[in-house]
Amino acid sequence: KILGYFLFTLCSFLAKFFHQVTAIDIDQDAITYAKNKFKRKNLVFKVGDAMNLEFSNNSFDVVICTQVYEHVPNSKKLFKEIYRVLKPDGICYLAAINRLWPWEPHYNLPLLSWLPPKAANFYARLFRGQNYYESTLSYWGLKKLLPNYKIYDLTQKILSNSKKYGYSEDFPKSRFVLKLIAIGSPILRYFTPTFILILKKKSTQAA
């Protein structure tokens, strides 16, 4: 829920620059909070299922999908829905958790996402008292879900120059370490905690 509230704050900020902003969440309590907290005429909050969006085809110029795909039961369906509601040449900003990052951020356990489902559930129940519900993917696994998009991968660019892209707070302060990260970015891009991708709907394909 904390992440949801953060994203609602982001939506309120974006509403200053866009004609219309619509935010959805499957959590009714989160939507009720957002409606009371962030009130703008051009900002709408709705309860909705990301795998079954109520919006018409070709409805949005931009979709923001950040730290979402691993939480839905069917991420392939999620990306199909995003593709459907995007206008031709519309874009999706995607921030996606990486399965190969060794420290699983939701449960704060090392190597959890590397394990097969049964072992991951046992591990999560042992140390956190619950099953491991998230379904994270590697870069290659994620890319397989995006065949209809033109992909602009910003991950390596951010690793090479975090300050330029506004991520300096998330990186070490040491110039030497930053230089090593930049040099290793062609490989490190596949093992970073989060992928940052811009997905463009191909205008030549049907919605």
Side-chain angles (χ1 to χ4, degrees):
K1 288 187 178 181
I2 293 174
L3 177 59
Y5 297 155
F6 166 77
L7 295 177
F8 292 145
T9 303
L10 173 62
C11 291
S12 180
F13 174 78
L14 292 175
K16 299 176 182 179
F17 306 97
F18 287 83
H19 176 70
Q20 182 72 36
V21 174
T22 302
I24 69 163
D25 196 293
I26 203 165
D27 187 339
Q28 177 66 68
D29 291 341
I31 292 296
T32 299
Y33 169 87
K35 286 181 177 179
N36 292 329
K37 180 71 174 179
F38 308 106
K39 295 182 179 180
R40 290 181 176 275
K41 291 182 179 180
N42 64 332
L43 178 57
V44 177
F45 295 99
K46 292 176 175 287
V47 176
D49 181 353
M51 298 181 299
N52 187 23
L53 297 170
E54 65 177 67
F55 310 108
S56 302
N57 295 353
N58 308 314
S59 296
F60 295 95
D61 297 295
V62 178
V63 170
I64 295 176
C65 181
T66 176
Q67 318 300 352
V68 173
Y69 90 89
E70 73 273 17
H71 297 291
V72 302
N74 189 330
S75 52
K76 183 176 182 179
K77 192 172 182 180
L78 164 70
F79 290 117
K80 283 187 175 180
E81 277 293 271
I82 292 174
Y83 184 88
R84 181 183 66 79
V85 301
L86 275 175
K87 294 179 181 179
D89 291 326
I91 63 170
C92 170
Y93 170 88
L94 175 64
I97 291 291
N98 180 11
R99 181 179 184 178
L100 296 183
W101 181 248
W103 200 274
E104 211 291 335
H106 304 94
Y107 295 75
N108 199 28
L109 291 172
L111 306 180
L112 176 61
S113 61
W114 292 22
L115 300 175
K118 288 185 179 180
N121 283 336
F122 176 79
Y123 185 21
R125 286 197 303 269
L126 182 64
F127 290 97
R128 296 293 181 261
Q130 58 182 313
N131 285 330
Y132 181 49
Y133 293 105
E134 284 66 26
S135 298
T136 56
L137 297 168
S138 66
Y139 177 84
W140 301 278
L142 186 63
K143 195 173 180 180
K144 286 181 180 179
L145 299 182
L146 309 171
N148 294 327
Y149 296 93
K150 186 171 183 179
I151 302 173
Y152 299 90
D153 187 353
L154 299 183
T155 310
Q156 184 178 345
K157 293 182 178 181
I158 293 170
L159 290 172
S160 298
N161 193 340
S162 58
K163 184 176 181 181
K164 177 180 177 180
Y165 291 92
Y167 284 85
S168 56
E169 292 298 320
D170 301 315
F171 279 69
K173 303 303 179 184
S174 167
R175 291 185 179 181
F176 176 71
V177 174
L178 290 175
K179 186 66 175 178
L180 288 179
I181 292 174
I183 293 172
S185 62
I187 300 300
L188 292 176
R189 60 182 285 205
Y190 299 112
F191 302 95
T192 186
T194 303
F195 305 117
I196 304 296
L197 309 176
I198 301 297
L199 312 178
K200 183 177 181 181
K201 180 175 180 176
K202 298 175 183 178
S203 59
T204 56
Q205 299 215 5

